[in-house]
Amino acid sequence: MYVYLRKWCYAILCLLSPVLLSAQNGQKYLERALPQTWQENSDDFQQTLPVDDHWWSNFNDPLLDSLIAVAIKQNYSVQMAADRIAMAKANLRIQQGSYSPTLGLNAGWTRQQSSGNTTQLPQSVTQYTDASLNMNWEIDVFGSIRNRVKAQKENFAASKEEYNAVMVSLCAQVASAYINLRELQQELEVVNKNCESQLAVVKITEKRFETGLVSKLDVAQALSVYYDTKSSVPMLEAGIIQYTNSLGVLMGLYPWDVRKIIETQQPLPEYIEPVGVGIPANLLLRRPDIRSAERQVNAYAASLGASKSDWWPQIFVKGSVGFASHDIDKIANHNSLTYEIAPTLTWNFFQGTKLMQATRLAKAQLDESVRQFNETVLTSVQEVDNAMSAYKNSIKQIVALREVVNQGKETLTLSLDLYKQGLSPFQNVLDAQRSLLSYENALTQAKGNSLLSLIQLYQALGGGWSESNN
């Protein structure tokens, strides 16, 4: 028992110390140092802030702009995020209502008859009418209400940042799905062109076989390459449908409505330019997830301050004013006036371990939010560095693959010419056909991956999205 009382008294001294005031500010808990430079440092990136709005317009694709505009208006995740803002605002208004007194109106009429057989007094009938206005007001001396209002303000601000994060994610998802779809369409075009070229080679082998210059093996090998290339068409078409369906969900539309818009094939956007990445210490603080995590730290810090304020007394001012009279016609007479003023101090200084555990819970929640903030900062740095590295190296890959494709085309042309002259075996033509198809597909995929890396970079940089929310 003595040990328990000693721990309880020590907790009281700690909780009623000046730390009570400092705990209201969550900034003191954020000690994660933000980096001043990125790991990647090359001519591909500039130390300037990215465009604040509509980063996807850099791709110069009006259709992509339209798709994102529709998604912003109709996406259900965005609408739900807006609903959460409205709920957070309502919770803030509810908590702010604690600043105001509560008022109530009571009115009634009472008629009562007493028995004449239970006492020596004769039977009597009494009646009276009363009406009063009651007030109950908690005076926030120790900051309990103030801290809870501050916590709700931070939660409200965090909901706005979560909305911005949803917008950034949505725009990135639409752009990524669109790029993936265009990449598959371009791969399908590459396959179709190679099928035409390979079919022409099949006809050449058939003529040479008919004239007795080659065996039927050349025809069979040419056909096998042609049908192998043609067999990849169904999977590409299936992938196109899948990304079309994804765009439909993101835009809040049915797939067939989107299919009409994007069924026409278009080339992938060409984008190889320096990207503004900004200074990490300044740029990371504009990311919605980091701002939201910071708001959460402030909210839990305010909740900790409120839990510590609960250890102090509560001061109320109660009062009522009204009229009461036996005769209803005298209810407004000044002699019928009644009133009551009752200042009250309530101090539940001992509730077992309830207050102690509530404060420990608030402190644990604050510690968790601080660690979540630190992890969010580290993750954001990782995402930016990964995206920068992927984008920079994808540019190098594209440059190299363009040379490979050019050499592959020349190899096919030379091997086919030599085959027609009977100076080279048909196997060289087959190898050149397979290689060219592989090179062109690799180039197309590299272009798509480069654009996807750029989209991820913009998303990691905070998306460039800014919109005021009420």
Side-chain angles (χ1 to χ4, degrees):
M1 184 66 180
Y2 169 75
V3 174
Y4 172 76
L5 290 176
R6 186 178 65 181
K7 291 183 178 179
W8 181 79
C9 293
Y10 176 75
I12 290 286
L13 293 175
C14 292
L15 292 169
L16 299 185
S17 64
V19 178
L20 172 64
L21 297 178
S22 65
Q24 298 175 12
N25 187 5
Q27 295 296 327
K28 67 186 287 288
Y29 297 99
L30 302 181
E31 301 177 353
R32 168 62 60 188
L34 297 177
Q36 297 299 319
T37 57
W38 300 112
Q39 179 178 351
E40 292 291 339
N41 188 12
S42 67
D43 296 335
D44 297 319
F45 309 104
Q46 300 173 344
Q47 289 296 313
T48 58
L49 288 176
V51 181
D52 286 337
D53 293 315
H54 308 300
W55 52 265
W56 53 88
S57 61
N58 294 328
F59 295 140
N60 296 319
D61 193 323
L63 181 55
L64 176 60
D65 299 342
S66 300
L67 295 178
I68 292 180
V70 173
I72 290 173
K73 293 180 179 179
Q74 300 186 182
N75 181 265
Y76 289 108
S77 295
V78 172
Q79 295 174 8
M80 288 187 289
D83 293 336
R84 287 192 290 271
I85 292 179
M87 289 186 287
K89 186 175 183 180
N91 285 328
L92 173 60
R93 295 290 182 261
I94 291 172
Q95 196 63 53
Q96 287 176 333
S98 300
Y99 283 130
S100 305
T102 58
L103 300 176
L105 178 64
N106 293 328
W109 173 78
T110 302
R111 179 182 176 87
Q112 181 179 2
Q113 175 177 305
S114 62
S115 173
N117 295 326
T118 58
T119 64
Q120 294 179 354
L121 297 176
Q123 186 181 40
S124 64
V125 176
T126 60
Q127 66 178 21
Y128 66 92
T129 304
D130 69 304
S132 63
L133 181 66
N134 304 315
M135 181 196 72
N136 187 13
W137 186 17
E138 180 180 359
I139 301 177
D140 189 32
V141 177
F142 299 104
S144 177
I145 296 176
R146 183 170 60 254
N147 280 309
R148 286 181 168 83
V149 170
K150 182 178 180 180
Q152 288 300 331
K153 283 183 178 179
E154 296 296 336
N155 288 331
F156 177 44
S159 68
K160 291 183 177 181
E161 300 301 343
E162 291 172 0
Y163 174 85
N164 291 335
V166 171
M167 295 293 288
V168 170
S169 177
L170 171 65
C171 296
Q173 288 181 62
V174 173
S176 297
Y178 180 79
I179 294 301
N180 280 315
L181 185 143
R182 291 305 186 198
E183 178 189 327
L184 290 180
Q185 287 182 336
Q186 193 158 334
E187 285 187 41
L188 181 61
E189 183 178 359
V190 168
V191 169
N192 290 332
K193 287 182 178 180
N194 276 269
C195 282
E196 294 178 1
S197 173
Q198 292 168 5
L199 186 60
V201 173
V202 170
K203 293 180 179 179
I204 292 174
T205 58
E206 289 176 342
K207 290 182 179 180
R208 290 177 63 83
F209 168 69
E210 292 173 356
T211 56
L213 296 176
V214 296
S215 67
K216 194 173 182 180
L217 177 61
D218 289 0
V219 178
Q221 289 177 326
L223 285 173
S224 65
V225 172
Y226 167 74
Y227 286 121
D228 180 62
T229 303
K230 193 173 182 179
S231 66
S232 61
V233 171
M235 293 304 299
L236 293 174
E237 292 177 342
I240 292 173
I241 293 176
Q242 290 175 2
Y243 284 114
T244 302
N245 294 340
S246 298
L247 283 172
V249 173
L250 293 172
M251 296 169 61
L253 300 173
Y254 288 107
W256 45 84
D257 295 327
V258 182
R259 196 172 298 129
K260 300 175 182 177
I261 302 173
I262 58 177
E263 60 184 0
T264 302
Q265 293 186 4
Q266 292 185 12
L268 285 168
E270 293 287 345
Y271 190 90
I272 303 180
E273 297 179 8
V275 181
V277 295
I279 300 173
N282 299 329
L283 186 62
L284 292 177
L285 292 179
R286 70 194 289 272
R287 277 180 54 127
D289 56 344
I290 292 181
R291 292 201 299 259
S292 177
E294 182 182 1
R295 295 291 190 178
Q296 291 293 340
V297 171
N298 293 336
Y300 282 119
S303 297
L304 176 59
S307 69
K308 292 183 176 182
S309 298
D310 291 339
W311 288 79
W312 291 89
Q314 291 179 292
I315 299 177
F316 296 89
V317 175
K318 298 180 180 180
S320 65
V321 61
F323 297 89
S325 174
H326 287 290
D327 299 324
I328 193 171
D329 55 346
K330 296 180 181 180
I331 188 69
N333 192 289
H334 69 279
N335 290 328
S336 302
L337 177 65
T338 65
Y339 68 88
E340 177 187 10
I341 299 177
T344 305
L345 184 146
T346 303
W347 192 3
N348 296 323
F349 56 86
F350 181 76
Q351 300 183 41
T353 61
K354 180 179 178 180
L355 294 176
M356 186 187 304
Q357 298 305 325
T359 302
R360 288 179 177 175
L361 173 61
K363 182 62 169 63
Q365 290 174 333
L366 175 60
D367 291 341
E368 181 190 19
S369 66
V370 171
R371 293 183 175 89
Q372 180 64 46
F373 174 84
N374 293 334
E375 184 178 15
T376 302
V377 171
L378 292 177
T379 302
S380 65
V381 174
Q382 176 192 17
E383 291 174 351
V384 173
D385 276 335
N386 288 346
M388 291 172 64
S389 176
Y391 178 67
K392 183 183 72 173
N393 289 288
S394 67
I395 299 301
K396 296 179 181 179
Q397 185 183 25
I398 290 174
V399 174
L401 285 174
R402 283 175 176 170
E403 294 299 326
V404 172
V405 169
N406 292 334
Q407 294 302 318
K409 290 179 180 179
E410 185 175 0
T411 299
L412 177 59
T413 301
L414 293 175
S415 61
L416 187 59
D417 289 342
L418 291 174
Y419 173 71
K420 291 178 181 179
Q421 299 173 19
L423 301 176
S424 175
F426 187 61
Q427 185 62 43
N428 292 340
V429 178
L430 297 176
D431 293 339
Q433 286 179 324
R434 296 190 183 98
S435 297
L436 179 59
L437 176 61
S438 176
Y439 298 155
E440 290 181 337
N441 279 333
L443 178 60
T444 301
Q445 292 171 1
K447 290 180 178 179
N449 292 334
S450 177
L451 294 173
L452 292 175
S453 298
L454 185 58
I455 293 171
Q456 293 174 358
L457 177 57
Y458 276 118
Q459 185 178 7
L461 292 173
W465 180 267
S466 63
E467 178 175 298
S468 59
N469 305 302
N470 298 321

